[in-house]
């Protein structure tokens, strides 16, 4: 019998959908189907793959409101943020990759400087790797995974996407749009579950892994991948400083710091983690920052006028309170 887990609404903590966890056997079966589909997909022309991804772009734009509402429901973020930071940026990435992809993948002439190769010519041709494993986080559940999925498919690869267990519905919606655009279903699939599912995906030996998430989990992913000689791209957390000097426009600086800290309820790798202010303007800057923070409208993401939604889970609130006490 399949094991399941719920998709929860962060506003209420109540389940609104049930997801089936992919077992290790399921992942091996999915991997085999993806490899078979990738062999055929790699033989298609680049213009064909580009046309499919452009249809995805058009579908996402036409259904942006529906997808944004799903993002808001599953993450708690305000609808405006879902539209601007998830959907708009994903659309822009799709536009960029489909426009620039042909030039990026064009064969390159290599200059042979060694006299042993005098009179010879060499060219470098790009070939798809095979099946790409994408392990994605929950804070930008469309932008972050599809920023890897789109170029991987465009280059002729298959993709197995393991989204966060907190935002599986968004991943399923995005992949469903890809299928409607013309991506063969076995070529791009979601494998749902928690960290153990991600570990099983690595054990299934994809040809490359893209991981976005915490330093702690990224370290484990790198170790497990290295043991199997699987190349890895890691996008991990940051500790970004927001620096305010005495000659700054303090009104604008305070507005910028408010956005940098509170966008997506602060749940972003590039959020301003520390504010360093020159002593001469410290008090004035703090007063402005407090004033602007007090004006932020807290509320459910789907409620009109909400500017800051809930954090994704109660466990995140506990962690934030621990960090505050430590600071």
């Amino acid at each position: 019998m399949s094991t399941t887990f719920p998709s929860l609404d962060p506003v209420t903590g109540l389940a609104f959908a049930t997801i089936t966890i992919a077992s290790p056997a399921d992942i091996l079966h999915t991997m085999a189907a993806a490899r078979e589909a990738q062999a055929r997909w790699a033989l298609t022309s680049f213009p064909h793959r580009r046309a499919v991804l452009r249809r995805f772009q058009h579908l996402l734009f036409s259904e942006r409101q529906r997808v944004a509402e799903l993002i808001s429901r599953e993450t708690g973020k305000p609808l405006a943020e879902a539209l601007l930071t998830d959907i708009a940026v994903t659309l822009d990435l799709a536009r960029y990759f489909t426009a620039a992809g042909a030039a990026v993948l064009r064969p390159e002439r290599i200059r042979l400087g060694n006299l042993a190769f005098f009179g010879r010519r060499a060219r470098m041709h790009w070939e798809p790797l095979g099946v790409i494993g994408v392990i994605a986080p929950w804070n930008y559940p469309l932008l972050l995974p599809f920023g890897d999925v789109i170029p991987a498919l465009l280059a002729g690869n298959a993709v197995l996407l393991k989204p966060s267990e907190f935002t599986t519905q968004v991943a399923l919606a995005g992949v469903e749009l890809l299928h409607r655009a013309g991506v063969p279903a076995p070529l791009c699939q979601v494998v749902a579950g928690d960290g153990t599912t991600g570990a099983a995906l690595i054990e299934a030996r994809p040809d490359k892994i893209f991981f976005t998430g915490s330093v702690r989990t990224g370290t484990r992913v790198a170790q497990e991948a290295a043991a199997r000689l699987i190349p890895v791209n890691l996008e991990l957390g940051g500790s970004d400083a927001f620096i305010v000097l005495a000659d700054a426009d303090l009104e604008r600086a305070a507005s910028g710091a408010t956005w940098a800290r509170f966008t997506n309820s602060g749940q972003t790798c590039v959020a301003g983690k520390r504010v360093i202010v020159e002593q001469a303007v410290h008090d004035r800057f703090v007063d402005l920052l407090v004033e602007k923070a007090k004006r932020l409208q807290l509320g459910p993401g789907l409620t009109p006028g909400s500017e800051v939604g809930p954090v994704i889970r109660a466990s995140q609130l506990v962690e934030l309170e621990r960090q505050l006490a430590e600071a």
Side-chain angles (χ1 to χ4, degrees):
M1 187 174 183
S2 298
T3 305
T4 62
F5 65 94
S7 286
L8 301 181
D9 183 337
V11 174
T12 63
L14 300 177
F16 67 91
T18 300
I19 306 296
T20 299
I21 295 175
S23 69
D26 293 333
I27 292 172
L28 289 175
H29 177 77
T30 302
M31 178 68 74
R35 290 203 180 282
E36 184 177 335
Q38 189 274 329
R40 295 190 296 271
W41 181 250
L43 297 176
T44 63
S45 67
F46 178 83
H48 170 77
R49 299 196 296 268
R50 178 175 56 198
V52 170
L53 271 299
R54 281 179 173 166
R55 283 198 294 273
F56 163 77
Q57 179 186 356
H58 296 152
L59 282 169
L60 178 58
F61 179 78
S62 67
E63 300 196 20
R64 61 193 180 279
Q65 188 69 23
R66 176 182 70 85
V67 178
E69 289 175 1
L70 181 58
I71 292 169
S72 183
R73 187 173 189 190
E74 203 164 36
T75 64
K77 70 176 67 181
L79 189 60
E81 281 197 3
L83 284 164
L84 290 172
T85 62
D86 259 298
I87 292 186
V89 184
T90 303
L91 287 169
D92 195 47
L93 286 173
R95 180 203 57 78
Y96 169 77
F97 285 124
T98 54
V104 171
L105 297 174
R106 184 177 297 125
E108 297 180 18
R109 181 180 175 185
I110 300 175
R111 294 186 179 276
L112 301 174
N114 193 312
L115 287 176
F117 297 106
F118 181 76
R120 292 175 171 83
R121 297 179 179 179
R123 297 180 73 83
M124 179 167 63
H125 293 260
W126 302 97
E127 299 288 341
L129 285 169
V131 180
I132 308 301
V134 175
I135 303 175
W138 46 262
N139 55 340
Y140 293 95
L142 191 74
L143 161 64
L144 291 176
F146 284 82
D148 296 329
V149 170
I150 293 168
L153 292 172
L154 197 61
N157 298 289
V159 177
L160 298 188
L161 169 59
K162 208 301 282 183
S164 166
E165 62 271 30
F166 296 167
T167 52
T168 307
Q169 292 289 328
V170 175
L172 289 168
V175 169
E176 187 261 341
L177 289 178
L178 283 170
H179 294 165
R180 284 168 53 191
V183 172
L187 190 75
C188 184
Q189 304 177 69
V190 173
V191 290
D194 56 14
T196 59
T197 308
L201 176 58
I202 297 172
E203 289 176 7
R205 295 181 180 270
D207 297 292
K208 186 162 186 174
I209 297 168
F210 285 83
F211 172 83
T212 305
S214 70
V215 172
R216 183 174 58 185
T217 305
T219 300
R220 295 202 301 269
V221 168
Q223 290 170 341
E224 293 299 320
R228 296 163 176 81
L229 295 179
I230 303 171
V232 175
N233 272 37
L234 301 173
E235 182 184 342
L236 308 178
S239 183
D240 305 274
F242 192 98
I243 301 172
V244 184
L245 302 181
D247 61 350
D249 180 330
L250 296 186
E251 278 282 351
R252 292 184 66 184
S255 294
T258 303
W259 178 86
R261 181 63 270 180
F262 291 102
T263 185
N264 202 32
S265 299
Q267 302 171 126
T268 175
C269 59
V270 294
K273 311 296 194 303
R274 297 161 289 139
V275 182
I276 300 170
V277 186
E278 200 166 352
Q279 190 169 15
V281 295
H282 172 273
D283 291 349
R284 174 60 180 154
F285 177 81
V286 170
D287 288 344
L288 287 169
L289 190 60
V290 170
E291 174 192 334
K292 291 175 185 293
K294 283 182 175 179
R295 293 207 301 264
L296 292 171
Q297 296 297 310
L298 278 65
L302 291 173
T303 298
S306 291
E307 296 174 305
V308 179
V311 293
I312 190 78
R313 290 290 185 274
S315 58
Q316 293 298 115
L317 178 60
V318 172
E319 174 63 16
L320 287 171
E321 289 176 336
R322 183 196 66 77
Q323 292 176 5
L324 179 61
E326 182 182 293

